[in-house]
Amino acid sequence: MSKAPKSFLKSVFELVVTVAVAVGLALVIQAFIVKPYRIPSGSMIPTLAIGQRVLADRLNTDPSLGDVVVFHPPHGADPNSATCGSGSQGAGHSQACDKPTVTESSQTFIKRVVGLPGDRISIVNGHVIRNGVQEKDSYIEPCGPGGSCDFPQPIVVPPGHYFMMGDNRGESDDSRFWGPVPQKWIIGVAFFTYWPPDRIGTL
């Protein structure tokens, strides 16, 4: 008569252990391997829409040119008027910001890598000129002349830093205004979009 209760308790115990292990693995995976992110703004249109969700590979913090990256920007991205670590910034200047502020923001951004360490970067009509060659940018939302679209005076991306820009070139708050991003502030490379269902696929 006692076998049934013991069998039931054993099943409950096994279920609890299984759930605990599954939750633990999920937390470890999210903390150290793969983490989901929701796109909060239109800065990556047409590649990523507002509300779209992506997965980032947290083991990859050494991105390649063209990768879509999740990262913490410099603290200079926090004010309403972006702050550049070298004093130059934003629209009205002939060059993009070439140096970030020394402190890291708690915000999480997602942008595309358009400049690698040591690259010479200028921007004309929203197009990146990298080491004298215009990027192949069929993925961008076009940007007209003037304002945030033109920084014709070249800058050099510092060692260990990456220059980030949104694909929606006229509507993106990015490295043009607050500078390149140190590698240590990169969270991971986005590699897959899983929501909404009609946009499931790799990046």
Side-chain angles (χ1 to χ4, degrees):
M1 295 292 291
S2 61
K3 287 184 178 180
K6 286 183 178 179
S7 177
F8 173 74
L9 290 174
K10 182 179 179 181
S11 297
V12 170
F13 177 75
E14 289 177 349
L15 177 61
V16 170
V17 170
T18 300
V19 171
V21 170
V23 170
L25 285 173
L27 291 174
V28 168
I29 289 171
Q30 179 166 309
F32 300 105
I33 302 175
V34 175
K35 190 165 186 176
Y37 290 92
R38 180 184 178 277
I39 307 304
S41 74
S43 70
M44 283 297 290
I45 291 172
T47 305
L48 297 169
I50 298 173
Q52 195 166 345
R53 289 170 170 79
V54 301
L55 296 177
D57 177 4
R58 301 199 66 177
L59 297 179
N60 186 358
T61 57
D62 184 18
S64 300
L65 189 71
D67 281 347
V68 176
V69 175
V70 179
F71 60 94
H72 293 300
H75 179 63
D78 292 339
N80 289 332
S81 179
T83 301
C84 178
S86 65
S88 64
Q89 66 184 83
H93 294 264
S94 63
Q95 69 175 49
C97 179
D98 61 351
K99 182 181 178 182
T101 54
V102 295
T103 54
E104 176 184 4
S105 171
S106 61
Q107 296 188 79
T108 300
F109 282 10
I110 183 165
K111 309 285 182 185
R112 190 181 297 272
V113 176
V114 299
L116 300 175
D119 281 345
R120 188 176 176 86
I121 298 290
S122 60
I123 300 157
V124 177
N125 293 340
H127 302 288
V128 174
I129 313 299
R130 174 178 171 264
N131 301 324
V133 179
Q134 183 175 310
E135 66 174 331
K136 297 178 180 178
D137 56 9
S138 58
Y139 49 77
I140 73 168
E141 187 72 20
C143 186
S148 61
C149 298
D150 277 311
F151 298 97
Q153 183 176 331
I155 64 166
V156 176
V157 182
H161 289 63
Y162 295 83
F163 201 89
M164 312 289 192
M165 287 178 66
D167 289 353
N168 191 0
R169 294 289 162 84
E171 301 292 334
S172 176
D173 178 22
D174 53 38
S175 288
R176 289 172 287 182
F177 311 104
W178 35 254
V181 176
Q183 183 177 12
K184 62 185 177 180
W185 296 348
I186 293 175
I187 297 170
V189 174
F191 66 95
F192 190 80
T193 174
Y194 66 93
W195 189 264
D198 62 345
R199 299 196 71 169
I200 289 176
T202 56
L203 290 172

